[in-house]
Amino acid sequence: MELTDKFGRRISYLRLAVTDRCNLRCQYCMPAQGINIVDKKELLTYKEMYRLTRVLSELGVNKVRLTGGEPFVRKDFVKFLESLSYNDKLDEINITTNGALISNHIDKLEELKINSINLSIDSLQREKFAQITRRDVFVNVYDTFEKLDKSNLNLKLNVVIQSGFNTDEIIDFIEFTKDKNIVVRFIEEMPFNGKGQRQIDEEWNYSKIIDHIKNHYQEIETLQSKKSSTSKNFKIPNYKGSFGIIPAFTRTICNDCNRIRITATGMFKNCLFDGGVFNVRDFIREGASDDDLKALFIKTVHKKPENGFVAEKNRGNDVSESMSTIGG
Ligand code: SAM
Ligand code: SF4
């Protein structure tokens, strides 16, 4: 039994948000006062998350990304990672984090063979970083960066490109890949900011970012990426690391999508841009068996929309929730 949609795309990748809480208040993700967090009992428990992951892994999901909110804000997150790591059907467990709380956990993450850490860092300048995240934690995040860089974990930096904030640092980030074996990924900003006031200036989309880089360097190598990769990947010749651009908003990557999402409250999403298809938490709490869950997953994935534009149109209301509730 496999998860395949009607366009023949096989689903093998789950993005699971372990919490809607966060210690930062990034401008593009939520308003300054934060979002209305849900009551704790509405969050999936670790046991429920473990079970959902196991059932999905029996349907061919072999890669999980843990995200949020900030995963490390949730108590016992590292213990949960440990239990997930016993699932031998999973080839990869990855984490997306803002890095402010994790520097003490890095040895453990290495021990658990976490495959890759995506560290969100939108500026290399302390003041600007504080302006974007509304918290003065650059020093902690940079410390995490240095420790991760020295560790044997694969490291990717996530940089959301925001007009007027960090476009002048694109080249600085690429220069970072000169001596470091890291991947820097520039992400197009999306309107998932929990009804914050930011207007998306679409000017800095994929094309503008790559043109900006091409204007700076004489030569750029295009790298072969996995079919389902979310980013188009490049490298400056002789640089140790590489960089990618994620066309998250212009959505040119949907054809090869292999992803599904489960939010912290158990909402199953076939696409980042859909409004949530059904609540697996309620289904579990009503007594669903593993076979019931499998049947529902198979049926629902079959209805995965062709691309993010179709998903957005189908939902019929604005995509204005916070990325921290969706699980970015
Ligand atoms: N708190 C963790 C972090 O920041 O890495 C994990 C959750 S966060 C929602 C996951 C990723 O989504 C981060 O790299 C963040 O920069 C990105 N993100 C959040 N809001 C976004 C938006 N409106 N547009 C594009 N990317 C966004
Ligand atoms: Fe928190 Fe991540 Fe959203 Fe920033 S992007 S507010 S760190 S969830």
Side-chain angles (χ1 to χ4, degrees), residues 22-26 28-30 68-70 98 120 322-324:
C22 189
N23 49 330
L24 308 188
R25 295 284 178 274
C26 302
Y28 49 73
C29 184
M30 54 173 88
E70 172 50 38
N98 62 41
S120 302
S322 163
M323 195 66 145
S324 68

Side-chain angles (χ1 to χ4, degrees), residues 15 21-24 26-30 66-71 95-99 118-122 157-161 185 187-193 200 248 321-328:
R15 297 177 76 113
R21 274 86 165 149
C22 189
N23 49 330
L24 308 188
C26 302
Q27 299 215 19
Y28 49 73
C29 184
M30 54 173 88
L66 301 161
T67 179
E70 172 50 38
I95 305 170
T96 302
T97 173
N98 62 41
N118 287 8
L119 177 69
S120 302
I121 178 166
D122 299 320
L157 302 187
N158 279 2
V159 182
V160 177
I161 293 301
R185 286 128 37 96
I187 306 176
E188 286 179 347
E189 184 177 352
M190 293 176 280
F192 300 123
N193 56 18
I200 299 271
E321 70 259 56
S322 163
M323 195 66 145
S324 68
T325 22
I326 303 173

Side-chain angles (χ1 to χ4, degrees), residues 300-311:
T300 310
V301 161
H302 195 69
K303 294 186 207 143
K304 185 173 164 76
E306 186 172 7
N307 57 47
F309 294 103
V310 174

